[in-house]
Amino acid sequence: MKLITSAGVLVAVALAVAPAYSQEDKLEPVVEGASSINDSARKSQLTIDQVSDDMQERLQQYKRIMKEIDGLKVYTTQVEQQISSQESEKQDINNSIDQVSYVERQITPLMLRMIDSLESFVELDVPFLQTERSERLQQLNDLMERANVDVSEKFRRVMEAYQIEADYGRNIEAYTAEHEINGQQQDVTYLRIGRVALIYKTRDGQHLGLWNQEQRSWQELDSKHLPAVDEAIRIARKQLAPDLLMMPLFANKSNSSTQNSAGQ
C-alpha cells in the first residue's frame, strides 16, 4: 500500500515538473527575440540621433552659406556699381586724352611763337643781364626739340621765363659784369631800377653811364650823381633800407638826361 502511494507521488511530481520545463523552453526564444528587438531599437535610436546631429550640422552650414551668399550679392552689386563708374571715368579719360592730343598739337606752335616773341623782346629791351637772358632763351629752344619732355613741362618753363622777365620790371638789382669804356673792357657795377633806368659805375667811380633806351646807347653821367648811385646800389644789395632816391632818368623823346625821383 505504501509503495503504491510513493509511486503515485513520484508520478504527480513528474507531471508537475514537466509543464514547467516546457514553458521555459517556449519563453526563451521570446525573451531572446525581445532582447534582439531592444538591441535593434537602441541601434536605430543611435542612428536616428546621428542623422539628427548631421541634419543640424548641415542646417547650420546651409545657414552660413546662405549668409555668405547674401553678403556676396551685396558685394557684387557694389562692384558692379564701381565697374559702371569706372567705365564712365574711362570714357571721360579717353575723351580727355583725345582733347589733350588736340591741345598739344595747338600749344606747341603757340610756345614756339611765344619764345620768338620773347627773343625779340629781350633784343629790344634794356640791355641788362644779357648773357643770363640769352642762355635762358637758348635753353628754351633746346627744350622744345627734346621728345622726352612733356608738353606740360615745356609750357611751364616758357611761362616761367615770361614771369622772370615780368619781375625784372618790378624790382631793383645790382650786379657786376664787364663793360667797354673807351675801347677797354672794365669791371663795372650795373644798377637796374626796374626797366626805368640802367646805370653802370666803374670800381673807382670815375665813370658813370646811363642807358638811353630811345637812342639805344650809353651816355656818360656827371660825377655829381655818384652818391645817389652808390646809395641805390647799397639798397639793391639790401645793405640799406629802401628809401626815396633822386636818380638821373631820361625824359621821353629827349636826348638829354633829367633828374627825377625814383622811389624804392
Side-chain angles (χ1 to χ4, degrees), residues 130-158:
Q130 290 177 297
T131 301
E132 177 182 320
R133 298 164 80 187
S134 297
E135 288 178 353
R136 185 181 301 113
L137 289 169
Q138 184 59 49
Q139 290 172 0
L140 287 178
N141 285 316
D142 294 341
L143 184 68
M144 294 301 297
E145 297 177 358
R146 293 176 56 184
N148 61 337
V149 180
D150 292 337
V151 173
S152 59
E153 175 62 16
K154 293 178 180 179
F155 186 75
R156 187 191 68 80
R157 293 283 295 275
V158 172

PDB file of all heavy atoms in Angstrom, residues 130-158:
ATOM      1  N   GLN A 130      72.459 140.365 -70.083  1.00  0.00           N
ATOM      2  CA  GLN A 130      72.310 139.854 -71.447  1.00  0.00           C
ATOM      3  C   GLN A 130      72.711 138.382 -71.568  1.00  0.00           C
ATOM      4  O   GLN A 130      72.021 137.596 -72.239  1.00  0.00           O
ATOM      5  CB  GLN A 130      73.137 140.712 -72.404  1.00  0.00           C
ATOM      6  CG  GLN A 130      72.577 142.116 -72.596  1.00  0.00           C
ATOM      7  CD  GLN A 130      73.462 142.966 -73.482  1.00  0.00           C
ATOM      8  OE1 GLN A 130      74.609 143.246 -73.164  1.00  0.00           O
ATOM      9  NE2 GLN A 130      72.921 143.381 -74.618  1.00  0.00           N
ATOM     10  N   THR A 131      73.797 137.994 -70.931  1.00  0.00           N
ATOM     11  CA  THR A 131      74.247 136.599 -71.013  1.00  0.00           C
ATOM     12  C   THR A 131      73.231 135.659 -70.381  1.00  0.00           C
ATOM     13  O   THR A 131      72.862 134.631 -70.963  1.00  0.00           O
ATOM     14  CB  THR A 131      75.605 136.436 -70.311  1.00  0.00           C
ATOM     15  OG1 THR A 131      76.564 137.302 -70.940  1.00  0.00           O
ATOM     16  CG2 THR A 131      76.083 135.003 -70.393  1.00  0.00           C
ATOM     17  N   GLU A 132      72.775 136.041 -69.194  1.00  0.00           N
ATOM     18  CA  GLU A 132      71.803 135.198 -68.483  1.00  0.00           C
ATOM     19  C   GLU A 132      70.509 135.040 -69.267  1.00  0.00           C
ATOM     20  O   GLU A 132      69.975 133.933 -69.403  1.00  0.00           O
ATOM     21  CB  GLU A 132      71.515 135.803 -67.109  1.00  0.00           C
ATOM     22  CG  GLU A 132      70.462 135.061 -66.301  1.00  0.00           C
ATOM     23  CD  GLU A 132      70.177 135.739 -64.977  1.00  0.00           C
ATOM     24  OE1 GLU A 132      71.144 136.222 -64.339  1.00  0.00           O
ATOM     25  OE2 GLU A 132      68.994 135.803 -64.580  1.00  0.00           O
ATOM     26  N   ARG A 133      70.020 136.111 -69.796  1.00  0.00           N
ATOM     27  CA  ARG A 133      68.752 136.070 -70.532  1.00  0.00           C
ATOM     28  C   ARG A 133      68.901 135.316 -71.853  1.00  0.00           C
ATOM     29  O   ARG A 133      67.994 134.569 -72.268  1.00  0.00           O
ATOM     30  CB  ARG A 133      68.242 137.483 -70.762  1.00  0.00           C
ATOM     31  CG  ARG A 133      67.945 138.221 -69.458  1.00  0.00           C
ATOM     32  CD  ARG A 133      67.810 139.712 -69.671  1.00  0.00           C
ATOM     33  NE  ARG A 133      66.494 140.078 -70.185  1.00  0.00           N
ATOM     34  CZ  ARG A 133      66.186 141.314 -70.587  1.00  0.00           C
ATOM     35  NH1 ARG A 133      67.101 142.282 -70.562  1.00  0.00           N
ATOM     36  NH2 ARG A 133      64.966 141.573 -71.023  1.00  0.00           N
ATOM     37  N   SER A 134      70.036 135.489 -72.528  1.00  0.00           N
ATOM     38  CA  SER A 134      70.272 134.760 -73.778  1.00  0.00           C
ATOM     39  C   SER A 134      70.375 133.253 -73.536  1.00  0.00           C
ATOM     40  O   SER A 134      69.851 132.444 -74.311  1.00  0.00           O
ATOM     41  CB  SER A 134      71.550 135.260 -74.447  1.00  0.00           C
ATOM     42  OG  SER A 134      71.426 136.625 -74.809  1.00  0.00           O
ATOM     43  N   GLU A 135      71.052 132.891 -72.462  1.00  0.00           N
ATOM     44  CA  GLU A 135      71.167 131.463 -72.129  1.00  0.00           C
ATOM     45  C   GLU A 135      69.799 130.868 -71.801  1.00  0.00           C
ATOM     46  O   GLU A 135      69.512 129.718 -72.166  1.00  0.00           O
ATOM     47  CB  GLU A 135      72.119 131.279 -70.945  1.00  0.00           C
ATOM     48  CG  GLU A 135      73.582 131.524 -71.297  1.00  0.00           C
ATOM     49  CD  GLU A 135      74.485 131.386 -70.091  1.00  0.00           C
ATOM     50  OE1 GLU A 135      73.946 131.229 -68.964  1.00  0.00           O
ATOM     51  OE2 GLU A 135      75.716 131.419 -70.258  1.00  0.00           O
ATOM     52  N   ARG A 136      68.949 131.624 -71.125  1.00  0.00           N
ATOM     53  CA  ARG A 136      67.612 131.121 -70.804  1.00  0.00           C
ATOM     54  C   ARG A 136      66.809 130.862 -72.080  1.00  0.00           C
ATOM     55  O   ARG A 136      66.121 129.845 -72.207  1.00  0.00           O
ATOM     56  CB  ARG A 136      66.877 132.115 -69.907  1.00  0.00           C
ATOM     57  CG  ARG A 136      65.532 131.602 -69.423  1.00  0.00           C
ATOM     58  CD  ARG A 136      64.811 132.609 -68.556  1.00  0.00           C
ATOM     59  NE  ARG A 136      65.581 132.978 -67.395  1.00  0.00           N
ATOM     60  CZ  ARG A 136      66.095 134.182 -67.175  1.00  0.00           C
ATOM     61  NH1 ARG A 136      65.888 135.170 -68.044  1.00  0.00           N
ATOM     62  NH2 ARG A 136      66.798 134.429 -66.100  1.00  0.00           N
ATOM     63  N   LEU A 137      66.919 131.773 -73.026  1.00  0.00           N
ATOM     64  CA  LEU A 137      66.213 131.593 -74.292  1.00  0.00           C
ATOM     65  C   LEU A 137      66.764 130.398 -75.068  1.00  0.00           C
ATOM     66  O   LEU A 137      66.007 129.638 -75.680  1.00  0.00           O
ATOM     67  CB  LEU A 137      66.320 132.863 -75.131  1.00  0.00           C
ATOM     68  CG  LEU A 137      65.499 134.055 -74.614  1.00  0.00           C
ATOM     69  CD1 LEU A 137      65.891 135.328 -75.350  1.00  0.00           C
ATOM     70  CD2 LEU A 137      64.009 133.788 -74.784  1.00  0.00           C
ATOM     71  N   GLN A 138      68.078 130.223 -75.038  1.00  0.00           N
ATOM     72  CA  GLN A 138      68.681 129.090 -75.736  1.00  0.00           C
ATOM     73  C   GLN A 138      68.238 127.773 -75.096  1.00  0.00           C
ATOM     74  O   GLN A 138      67.963 126.786 -75.797  1.00  0.00           O
ATOM     75  CB  GLN A 138      70.214 129.210 -75.693  1.00  0.00           C
ATOM     76  CG  GLN A 138      70.939 128.122 -76.477  1.00  0.00           C
ATOM     77  CD  GLN A 138      70.549 128.114 -77.938  1.00  0.00           C
ATOM     78  OE1 GLN A 138      70.544 129.152 -78.591  1.00  0.00           O
ATOM     79  NE2 GLN A 138      70.237 126.931 -78.480  1.00  0.00           N
ATOM     80  N   GLN A 139      68.134 127.759 -73.790  1.00  0.00           N
ATOM     81  CA  GLN A 139      67.657 126.554 -73.098  1.00  0.00           C
ATOM     82  C   GLN A 139      66.219 126.233 -73.484  1.00  0.00           C
ATOM     83  O   GLN A 139      65.854 125.061 -73.636  1.00  0.00           O
ATOM     84  CB  GLN A 139      67.775 126.745 -71.586  1.00  0.00           C
ATOM     85  CG  GLN A 139      69.213 126.760 -71.083  1.00  0.00           C
ATOM     86  CD  GLN A 139      69.299 127.139 -69.611  1.00  0.00           C
ATOM     87  OE1 GLN A 139      68.289 127.393 -68.950  1.00  0.00           O
ATOM     88  NE2 GLN A 139      70.510 127.192 -69.092  1.00  0.00           N
ATOM     89  N   LEU A 140      65.413 127.263 -73.652  1.00  0.00           N
ATOM     90  CA  LEU A 140      64.028 127.028 -74.072  1.00  0.00           C
ATOM     91  C   LEU A 140      63.978 126.436 -75.480  1.00  0.00           C
ATOM     92  O   LEU A 140      63.209 125.503 -75.750  1.00  0.00           O
ATOM     93  CB  LEU A 140      63.230 128.340 -74.031  1.00  0.00           C
ATOM     94  CG  LEU A 140      62.862 128.874 -72.650  1.00  0.00           C
ATOM     95  CD1 LEU A 140      62.121 130.202 -72.780  1.00  0.00           C
ATOM     96  CD2 LEU A 140      62.007 127.874 -71.886  1.00  0.00           C
ATOM     97  N   ASN A 141      64.791 126.964 -76.382  1.00  0.00           N
ATOM     98  CA  ASN A 141      64.824 126.429 -77.742  1.00  0.00           C
ATOM     99  C   ASN A 141      65.300 124.977 -77.762  1.00  0.00           C
ATOM    100  O   ASN A 141      64.751 124.139 -78.489  1.00  0.00           O
ATOM    101  CB  ASN A 141      65.730 127.283 -78.632  1.00  0.00           C
ATOM    102  CG  ASN A 141      65.079 128.608 -79.012  1.00  0.00           C
ATOM    103  OD1 ASN A 141      63.904 128.636 -79.361  1.00  0.00           O
ATOM    104  ND2 ASN A 141      65.830 129.694 -78.946  1.00  0.00           N
ATOM    105  N   ASP A 142      66.306 124.681 -76.952  1.00  0.00           N
ATOM    106  CA  ASP A 142      66.785 123.293 -76.867  1.00  0.00           C
ATOM    107  C   ASP A 142      65.716 122.390 -76.266  1.00  0.00           C
ATOM    108  O   ASP A 142      65.541 121.238 -76.697  1.00  0.00           O
ATOM    109  CB  ASP A 142      68.053 123.224 -76.007  1.00  0.00           C
ATOM    110  CG  ASP A 142      69.225 123.950 -76.654  1.00  0.00           C
ATOM    111  OD1 ASP A 142      69.170 124.188 -77.885  1.00  0.00           O
ATOM    112  OD2 ASP A 142      70.177 124.299 -75.933  1.00  0.00           O
ATOM    113  N   LEU A 143      65.004 122.909 -75.277  1.00  0.00           N
ATOM    114  CA  LEU A 143      63.960 122.126 -74.617  1.00  0.00           C
ATOM    115  C   LEU A 143      62.843 121.756 -75.585  1.00  0.00           C
ATOM    116  O   LEU A 143      62.305 120.644 -75.543  1.00  0.00           O
ATOM    117  CB  LEU A 143      63.393 122.913 -73.437  1.00  0.00           C
ATOM    118  CG  LEU A 143      62.346 122.199 -72.575  1.00  0.00           C
ATOM    119  CD1 LEU A 143      62.985 121.047 -71.806  1.00  0.00           C
ATOM    120  CD2 LEU A 143      61.697 123.175 -71.604  1.00  0.00           C
ATOM    121  N   MET A 144      62.485 122.663 -76.459  1.00  0.00           N
ATOM    122  CA  MET A 144      61.402 122.410 -77.399  1.00  0.00           C
ATOM    123  C   MET A 144      61.745 121.280 -78.367  1.00  0.00           C
ATOM    124  O   MET A 144      60.848 120.624 -78.915  1.00  0.00           O
ATOM    125  CB  MET A 144      61.075 123.678 -78.177  1.00  0.00           C
ATOM    126  CG  MET A 144      60.494 124.800 -77.331  1.00  0.00           C
ATOM    127  SD  MET A 144      58.968 124.322 -76.500  1.00  0.00           S
ATOM    128  CE  MET A 144      57.899 124.012 -77.888  1.00  0.00           C
ATOM    129  N   GLU A 145      63.020 121.020 -78.590  1.00  0.00           N
ATOM    130  CA  GLU A 145      63.427 119.967 -79.514  1.00  0.00           C
ATOM    131  C   GLU A 145      63.504 118.601 -78.854  1.00  0.00           C
ATOM    132  O   GLU A 145      63.650 117.587 -79.546  1.00  0.00           O
ATOM    133  CB  GLU A 145      64.788 120.312 -80.127  1.00  0.00           C
ATOM    134  CG  GLU A 145      64.768 121.582 -80.968  1.00  0.00           C
ATOM    135  CD  GLU A 145      66.144 121.931 -81.499  1.00  0.00           C
ATOM    136  OE1 GLU A 145      67.101 121.195 -81.169  1.00  0.00           O
ATOM    137  OE2 GLU A 145      66.261 122.932 -82.223  1.00  0.00           O
ATOM    138  N   ARG A 146      63.391 118.554 -77.532  1.00  0.00           N
ATOM    139  CA  ARG A 146      63.526 117.276 -76.811  1.00  0.00           C
ATOM    140  C   ARG A 146      62.188 116.537 -76.783  1.00  0.00           C
ATOM    141  O   ARG A 146      61.175 117.072 -76.336  1.00  0.00           O
ATOM    142  CB  ARG A 146      64.034 117.519 -75.396  1.00  0.00           C
ATOM    143  CG  ARG A 146      65.459 118.056 -75.336  1.00  0.00           C
ATOM    144  CD  ARG A 146      65.875 118.375 -73.920  1.00  0.00           C
ATOM    145  NE  ARG A 146      65.733 117.218 -73.040  1.00  0.00           N
ATOM    146  CZ  ARG A 146      65.953 117.256 -71.725  1.00  0.00           C
ATOM    147  NH1 ARG A 146      66.305 118.405 -71.159  1.00  0.00           N
ATOM    148  NH2 ARG A 146      65.802 116.179 -70.992  1.00  0.00           N
ATOM    149  N   ALA A 147      62.222 115.273 -77.238  1.00  0.00           N
ATOM    150  CA  ALA A 147      60.989 114.476 -77.292  1.00  0.00           C
ATOM    151  C   ALA A 147      60.673 113.823 -75.958  1.00  0.00           C
ATOM    152  O   ALA A 147      59.546 113.366 -75.739  1.00  0.00           O
ATOM    153  CB  ALA A 147      61.120 113.396 -78.368  1.00  0.00           C
ATOM    154  N   ASN A 148      61.649 113.756 -75.053  1.00  0.00           N
ATOM    155  CA  ASN A 148      61.427 113.078 -73.769  1.00  0.00           C
ATOM    156  C   ASN A 148      60.913 114.019 -72.686  1.00  0.00           C
ATOM    157  O   ASN A 148      60.858 113.643 -71.511  1.00  0.00           O
ATOM    158  CB  ASN A 148      62.727 112.418 -73.296  1.00  0.00           C
ATOM    159  CG  ASN A 148      63.851 113.427 -73.071  1.00  0.00           C
ATOM    160  OD1 ASN A 148      63.841 114.516 -73.635  1.00  0.00           O
ATOM    161  ND2 ASN A 148      64.818 113.060 -72.247  1.00  0.00           N
ATOM    162  N   VAL A 149      60.539 115.220 -73.053  1.00  0.00           N
ATOM    163  CA  VAL A 149      59.997 116.194 -72.098  1.00  0.00           C
ATOM    164  C   VAL A 149      58.530 116.429 -72.422  1.00  0.00           C
ATOM    165  O   VAL A 149      58.175 116.667 -73.587  1.00  0.00           O
ATOM    166  CB  VAL A 149      60.781 117.523 -72.138  1.00  0.00           C
ATOM    167  CG1 VAL A 149      60.201 118.528 -71.138  1.00  0.00           C
ATOM    168  CG2 VAL A 149      62.254 117.275 -71.839  1.00  0.00           C
ATOM    169  N   ASP A 150      57.687 116.343 -71.400  1.00  0.00           N
ATOM    170  CA  ASP A 150      56.253 116.530 -71.612  1.00  0.00           C
ATOM    171  C   ASP A 150      55.953 117.951 -72.070  1.00  0.00           C
ATOM    172  O   ASP A 150      56.668 118.901 -71.742  1.00  0.00           O
ATOM    173  CB  ASP A 150      55.483 116.247 -70.318  1.00  0.00           C
ATOM    174  CG  ASP A 150      55.548 114.783 -69.934  1.00  0.00           C
ATOM    175  OD1 ASP A 150      55.775 113.954 -70.823  1.00  0.00           O
ATOM    176  OD2 ASP A 150      55.369 114.475 -68.735  1.00  0.00           O
ATOM    177  N   VAL A 151      54.872 118.066 -72.806  1.00  0.00           N
ATOM    178  CA  VAL A 151      54.438 119.390 -73.274  1.00  0.00           C
ATOM    179  C   VAL A 151      54.126 120.293 -72.093  1.00  0.00           C
ATOM    180  O   VAL A 151      54.411 121.502 -72.125  1.00  0.00           O
ATOM    181  CB  VAL A 151      53.203 119.250 -74.193  1.00  0.00           C
ATOM    182  CG1 VAL A 151      52.647 120.626 -74.552  1.00  0.00           C
ATOM    183  CG2 VAL A 151      53.566 118.490 -75.455  1.00  0.00           C
ATOM    184  N   SER A 152      53.556 119.697 -71.033  1.00  0.00           N
ATOM    185  CA  SER A 152      53.223 120.498 -69.849  1.00  0.00           C
ATOM    186  C   SER A 152      54.467 121.109 -69.225  1.00  0.00           C
ATOM    187  O   SER A 152      54.454 122.260 -68.783  1.00  0.00           O
ATOM    188  CB  SER A 152      52.491 119.636 -68.819  1.00  0.00           C
ATOM    189  OG  SER A 152      53.287 118.534 -68.427  1.00  0.00           O
ATOM    190  N   GLU A 153      55.570 120.341 -69.193  1.00  0.00           N
ATOM    191  CA  GLU A 153      56.823 120.867 -68.632  1.00  0.00           C
ATOM    192  C   GLU A 153      57.395 121.954 -69.529  1.00  0.00           C
ATOM    193  O   GLU A 153      57.906 122.970 -69.042  1.00  0.00           O
ATOM    194  CB  GLU A 153      57.829 119.726 -68.466  1.00  0.00           C
ATOM    195  CG  GLU A 153      59.212 120.160 -68.002  1.00  0.00           C
ATOM    196  CD  GLU A 153      59.225 120.808 -66.631  1.00  0.00           C
ATOM    197  OE1 GLU A 153      58.228 120.667 -65.886  1.00  0.00           O
ATOM    198  OE2 GLU A 153      60.234 121.469 -66.301  1.00  0.00           O
ATOM    199  N   LYS A 154      57.304 121.766 -70.820  1.00  0.00           N
ATOM    200  CA  LYS A 154      57.784 122.793 -71.744  1.00  0.00           C
ATOM    201  C   LYS A 154      56.996 124.090 -71.556  1.00  0.00           C
ATOM    202  O   LYS A 154      57.573 125.181 -71.504  1.00  0.00           O
ATOM    203  CB  LYS A 154      57.648 122.307 -73.189  1.00  0.00           C
ATOM    204  CG  LYS A 154      58.562 121.143 -73.528  1.00  0.00           C
ATOM    205  CD  LYS A 154      58.339 120.674 -74.958  1.00  0.00           C
ATOM    206  CE  LYS A 154      59.249 119.505 -75.301  1.00  0.00           C
ATOM    207  NZ  LYS A 154      59.032 119.012 -76.679  1.00  0.00           N
ATOM    208  N   PHE A 155      55.685 123.953 -71.445  1.00  0.00           N
ATOM    209  CA  PHE A 155      54.852 125.140 -71.263  1.00  0.00           C
ATOM    210  C   PHE A 155      55.164 125.823 -69.935  1.00  0.00           C
ATOM    211  O   PHE A 155      55.199 127.061 -69.859  1.00  0.00           O
ATOM    212  CB  PHE A 155      53.372 124.755 -71.323  1.00  0.00           C
ATOM    213  CG  PHE A 155      52.438 125.923 -71.297  1.00  0.00           C
ATOM    214  CD1 PHE A 155      52.268 126.724 -72.419  1.00  0.00           C
ATOM    215  CD2 PHE A 155      51.734 126.239 -70.146  1.00  0.00           C
ATOM    216  CE1 PHE A 155      51.405 127.813 -72.396  1.00  0.00           C
ATOM    217  CE2 PHE A 155      50.873 127.319 -70.116  1.00  0.00           C
ATOM    218  CZ  PHE A 155      50.709 128.113 -71.235  1.00  0.00           C
ATOM    219  N   ARG A 156      55.400 125.021 -68.896  1.00  0.00           N
ATOM    220  CA  ARG A 156      55.741 125.598 -67.589  1.00  0.00           C
ATOM    221  C   ARG A 156      57.028 126.410 -67.672  1.00  0.00           C
ATOM    222  O   ARG A 156      57.125 127.508 -67.114  1.00  0.00           O
ATOM    223  CB  ARG A 156      55.883 124.487 -66.555  1.00  0.00           C
ATOM    224  CG  ARG A 156      56.075 124.996 -65.126  1.00  0.00           C
ATOM    225  CD  ARG A 156      56.484 123.877 -64.188  1.00  0.00           C
ATOM    226  NE  ARG A 156      57.814 123.396 -64.480  1.00  0.00           N
ATOM    227  CZ  ARG A 156      58.935 124.004 -64.080  1.00  0.00           C
ATOM    228  NH1 ARG A 156      58.876 125.139 -63.380  1.00  0.00           N
ATOM    229  NH2 ARG A 156      60.109 123.505 -64.373  1.00  0.00           N
ATOM    230  N   ARG A 157      58.012 125.874 -68.374  1.00  0.00           N
ATOM    231  CA  ARG A 157      59.287 126.577 -68.486  1.00  0.00           C
ATOM    232  C   ARG A 157      59.142 127.868 -69.292  1.00  0.00           C
ATOM    233  O   ARG A 157      59.783 128.883 -68.967  1.00  0.00           O
ATOM    234  CB  ARG A 157      60.307 125.643 -69.146  1.00  0.00           C
ATOM    235  CG  ARG A 157      60.687 124.434 -68.304  1.00  0.00           C
ATOM    236  CD  ARG A 157      61.647 124.807 -67.204  1.00  0.00           C
ATOM    237  NE  ARG A 157      62.904 125.261 -67.768  1.00  0.00           N
ATOM    238  CZ  ARG A 157      63.890 124.454 -68.137  1.00  0.00           C
ATOM    239  NH1 ARG A 157      63.755 123.135 -68.027  1.00  0.00           N
ATOM    240  NH2 ARG A 157      65.010 124.943 -68.629  1.00  0.00           N
ATOM    241  N   VAL A 158      58.337 127.844 -70.329  1.00  0.00           N
ATOM    242  CA  VAL A 158      58.112 129.057 -71.119  1.00  0.00           C
ATOM    243  C   VAL A 158      57.436 130.123 -70.264  1.00  0.00           C
ATOM    244  O   VAL A 158      57.846 131.298 -70.257  1.00  0.00           O
ATOM    245  CB  VAL A 158      57.260 128.745 -72.369  1.00  0.00           C
ATOM    246  CG1 VAL A 158      56.863 130.043 -73.080  1.00  0.00           C
ATOM    247  CG2 VAL A 158      58.032 127.845 -73.330  1.00  0.00           C
TER     248      VAL A 158
END
